[in-house]
């Protein structure tokens, strides 16, 4: 059976970009594969945080995963920090990763630009921990958004290198990207990706935004002067909105174009805003239910950690043997 691994950083709350770029695919894959979906809390430590808020946000993320419909029986849902083998393998992989490779990571370059006061070593070795996450479970497929491509190529390179030096140990992971929606853009600056940490909050829809806020952000979304709902690169704002529509309505961008042929942006945008609100309604209801049931949340992450640890231990045993640790 194929193994799937993916994760999200528990900072703030999930965005529409996370949902369309990643979680919709996680949900689709759970039917046929053994999936592990982690809340990668250790990765979030690369950014300064308030411990109290962080703890809340981690638990909220688990509720958000469940509210997205991820089945905790079918999938292994867990906190990265609960499975100590992630940190253990991280160290070992650090020793087969080159500084040069890490210096070429565009996310490192971007993040060290935006956090000049805290360019810590964790930020630099971030992709090695990510490789450990993936390789620990003999992962075949990693469903992510386009922004993770470079990190995944590195994870694969690290696996190949390790296997070459020490003998066949890790499965080689492939990236799993959507044809449409692998890169959802900011509603304000459609040349930038939609991001949790964008200073311009109007560019990002959070799954937990109130209906009013969603309607407002959608109304303000940047378009152009063409007033024609067409899916093409020359109209990045409207192209992004068509993408969002098509992923939430489960149709192709061409079908959206046809539906809005001859209609202006006003009608399209207000329908889209409605669609987003309606799509998120069940999510929010479930989220509230889960948040009122902390015991259930605890039981899910404990069970997830136990199941994940079982697999991780097997890989680590092999890794240690291969490298000659006594
Ligand atoms: P993170 O937390 O930034 O994002 C979680 C997932 O959402 C996708 N995503 C997007 N997809 C489309 N459009 C967007 N605007 C958009 N924004 C985010 C991301 O590609 C990701 O799939 N380093 C990872 C977390 C991670 C991980 C892993 C992922 C740690 N270890 C192992 C996969 C496997 C990250 O920061 O994702």
């Amino acid at each position: 059976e194929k193994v799937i691994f993916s994760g999200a950083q528990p900072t703030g709350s999930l965005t529409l970009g996370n949902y369309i770029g990643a979680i919709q695919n996680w949900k689709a894959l759970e039917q046929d594969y053994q999936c592990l979906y982690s809340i990668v809390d250790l990765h979030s430590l690369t950014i300064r945080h308030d411990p109290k808020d962080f703890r809340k946000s981690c638990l909220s993320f688990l509720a958000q995963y469940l509210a997205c419909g991820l089945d905790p029986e079918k999938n292994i849902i867990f906190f990265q920090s609960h499975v100590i083998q992630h940190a253990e393998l991280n160290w070992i992989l650090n020793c087969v990763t080159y500084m040069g490779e890490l210096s070429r990571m565009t996310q490192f370059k971007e993040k060290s630009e935006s956090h000049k006061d805290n360019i810590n070593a964790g930020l630099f070795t971030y992709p090695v921990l990510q490789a450990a996450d993936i390789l620990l479970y003999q992962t075949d497929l990693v469903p992510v958004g386009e922004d993770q491509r470079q990190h995944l190529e590195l994870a694969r390179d690290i696996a190949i290198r390790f296997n070459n030096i020490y003998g066949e140990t890790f499965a080689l992971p492939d990236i799993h990207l959507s044809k449409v929606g692998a890169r959802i853009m900011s509603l304000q600056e459609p040349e930038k990706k939609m991001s949790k940490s964008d200073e311009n909050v109007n560019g990002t829809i959070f799954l937990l935004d109130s209906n009013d806020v969603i309607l407002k952000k959608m109304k303000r979304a940047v378009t152009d002067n063409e007033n024609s709902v067409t899916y093409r690169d020359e109209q990045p704002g409207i192209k992004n909105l068509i993408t969002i529509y098509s992923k939430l309505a489960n149709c192709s961008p061409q079908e959206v174009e046809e539906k809005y042929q001859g209609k202006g942006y006003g009608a399209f945008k207000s329908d889209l805003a409605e669609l987003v609100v309606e799509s998120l309604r069940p999510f929010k209801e479930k989220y509230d239910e889960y948040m009122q049931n902390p015991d259930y949340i605890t039981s899910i992450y404990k069970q997830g950690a136990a199941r994940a640890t079982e697999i991780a231990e097997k890989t680590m045993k092999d890794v240690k043997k291969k490298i000659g640790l006594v």
Side-chain angles (χ1 to χ4, degrees):
E1 191 182 31
K2 278 206 169 141
V3 178
I4 314 293
F5 181 96
S6 201
Q9 287 193 68
T11 25
S13 95
L14 286 171
T15 68
L16 202 56
N18 296 140
Y19 181 70
I20 293 175
I23 296 179
Q24 277 196 326
N25 288 333
W26 300 2
K27 176 78 190 139
L29 289 163
E30 77 177 16
Q31 300 307 328
D32 300 318
Y33 305 106
Q34 172 61 74
C35 304
L36 295 108
Y37 296 131
S38 186
I39 292 162
V40 292
D41 46 3
L42 296 175
H43 274 113
S44 293
L45 303 181
T46 52
I47 308 288
R48 282 217 187 97
H49 67 274
D50 171 74
K52 254 199 198 138
D53 291 346
F54 182 57
R55 192 189 147 78
K56 267 193 211 148
S57 169
C58 287
L59 293 167
S60 159
F61 254 69
L62 190 77
Q64 291 179 56
Y65 273 26
L66 298 174
C68 285
L70 298 175
D71 182 336
E73 298 305 324
K74 281 203 181 108
N75 307 306
I76 301 179
I77 299 179
F78 68 105
F79 289 110
Q80 181 189 35
S81 64
H82 290 182
V83 181
I84 51 170
Q85 286 81 1
H86 288 253
E88 197 179 19
L89 183 59
N90 173 43
W91 174 257
I92 291 169
L93 298 183
N94 260 335
C95 301
V96 294
T97 307
Y98 298 118
M99 302 274 286
E101 288 174 308
L102 295 176
S103 332
R104 284 195 291 275
M105 294 292 119
T106 54
Q107 284 212 349
F108 171 69
K109 290 187 211 165
E110 281 161 24
K111 283 188 187 164
S112 35
E113 251 332 286
S114 57
H115 300 91
K116 280 215 169 70
D117 56 331
N118 185 20
I119 308 178
N120 58 70
L123 206 56
F124 189 63
T125 59
Y126 180 111
V128 186
L129 180 59
Q130 181 160 352
D133 298 342
I134 296 166
L135 302 183
L136 201 46
Y137 301 99
Q138 306 296 345
T139 301
D140 298 296
L141 272 188
V142 187
V144 285
E146 171 67 41
D147 61 339
Q148 297 300 315
R149 187 192 283 279
Q150 202 187 21
H151 286 169
L152 287 204
E153 283 168 1
L154 179 68
R156 202 180 155 91
D157 288 345
I158 294 174
I160 292 174
R161 185 171 311 140
F162 189 101
N163 288 348
N164 281 337
I165 303 174
Y166 298 111
E168 231 19 70
T169 309
F170 296 119
L172 300 185
D174 284 314
I175 190 168
H176 179 283
L177 284 176
S178 301
K179 283 205 188 70
V180 174
R183 192 173 171 82
I184 299 298
M185 311 311 278
S186 156
L187 300 182
Q188 288 298 311
E189 296 161 87
E191 54 294 328
K192 262 179 37 184
K193 76 166 183 190
M194 183 182 283
S195 158
K196 291 184 189 113
S197 52
D198 197 334
E199 274 156 30
N200 188 349
V201 291
N202 286 323
T204 306
I205 299 230
F206 294 97
L207 303 193
L208 291 170
D209 276 343
S210 72
N211 294 345
D212 286 350
V213 167
I214 293 174
L215 294 175
K216 202 181 72 194
K217 285 181 180 174
M218 275 298 170
K219 209 171 183 179
R220 287 193 189 163
V222 167
T223 50
D224 50 56
N225 298 323
E226 307 274 336
N227 209 26
S228 144
V229 181
T230 19
Y231 187 74
R232 55 187 201 120
D233 293 341
E234 291 75 13
Q235 293 172 255
I238 208 73
K239 182 179 178 193
N240 187 43
L241 298 182
I242 294 175
T243 302
I244 294 172
Y245 191 110
S246 79
K247 295 300 283 191
L248 296 180
N250 196 17
C251 63
S252 70
Q254 289 66 38
E255 286 171 304
V256 182
E257 282 183 329
E258 276 160 30
K259 185 162 179 212
Y260 289 95
Q261 207 173 25
K263 296 185 186 150
Y265 290 163
F268 172 61
K269 278 168 91 174
S270 76
D271 284 2
L272 175 58
E274 220 29 63
L275 177 64
V276 174
V277 165
E278 286 314 314
S279 307
L280 293 180
R281 194 184 295 281
F283 166 83
K284 289 184 195 165
E285 284 169 8
K286 281 193 240 162
Y287 174 78
D288 289 339
E289 280 171 33
Y290 289 124
M291 288 303 276
Q292 280 159 23
N293 200 343
D295 291 345
Y296 179 70
I297 295 282
T298 308
S299 73
I300 296 302
Y301 70 64
K302 282 195 171 161
Q303 165 192 310
R307 289 167 73 192
T309 300
E310 215 175 288
I311 309 174
E313 274 175 343
K314 274 196 205 128
T315 301
M316 280 317 294
K317 206 171 156 194
D318 185 34
V319 167
K320 287 178 176 171
K321 195 170 129 202
K322 289 269 174 54
I323 55 185
L325 291 173
V326 176

